[in-house]
Amino acid sequence: MRVHAQDHYVEIVTTAGWDLVMLKFSDCVEKLKPLEGVQCHRSRWVRLKHCRWISSCGSAYVCEMSNGDAVPVSRRRYALVREWLNRASRPT
């Protein structure tokens, strides 16, 4: 569902639970490429099928996940995440 960098560790959250793994965030994001997801912040990655929507929270953006988690989205990556979600929600 989502990945969060924490110092030298990466918190991995799935529908089955979560785990903390000693791994570089960039290596983790590289391994997640086969899954449809996007790095929404310098320390966050989300799998798009679990993103419900993006909302603004003051001057910041937040991605609401299917499990209720709120993941920050950087202003720099907001347009990219929004475009991915728009593409994913369009009928094929």
Side-chain angles (χ1 to χ4, degrees):
M1 291 181 67
R2 67 179 179 84
V3 175
H4 175 205
Q6 296 182 5
D7 295 323
H8 297 291
Y9 293 88
V10 175
E11 177 187 43
I12 301 171
V13 178
T14 69
T15 56
W18 69 275
D19 201 0
L20 202 58
V21 179
M22 189 173 200
L23 182 67
K24 282 176 42 179
F25 182 68
S26 59
D27 292 344
C28 185
V29 169
E30 184 66 31
K31 291 179 184 206
L32 292 169
K33 278 190 176 181
L35 302 176
E36 191 170 75
V38 66
Q39 186 175 346
C40 60
H41 192 275
R42 70 178 177 177
S43 64
R44 310 282 180 138
W45 178 93
V46 293
R47 188 159 184 203
L48 294 170
K49 79 177 203 175
H50 293 286
C51 293
R52 288 185 178 158
W53 60 79
I54 297 177
S55 59
S56 61
C57 184
S59 64
Y61 298 101
V62 175
C63 181
E64 176 80 23
M65 304 300 290
S66 59
N67 68 349
D69 289 350
V71 178
V73 176
S74 70
R75 285 178 287 186
R76 186 174 139 233
R77 295 192 172 128
Y78 170 74
L80 172 68
V81 176
R82 188 184 65 214
E83 176 59 30
W84 272 86
L85 287 175
N86 287 341
R87 266 193 271 148
S89 67
R90 286 186 206 137
T92 54

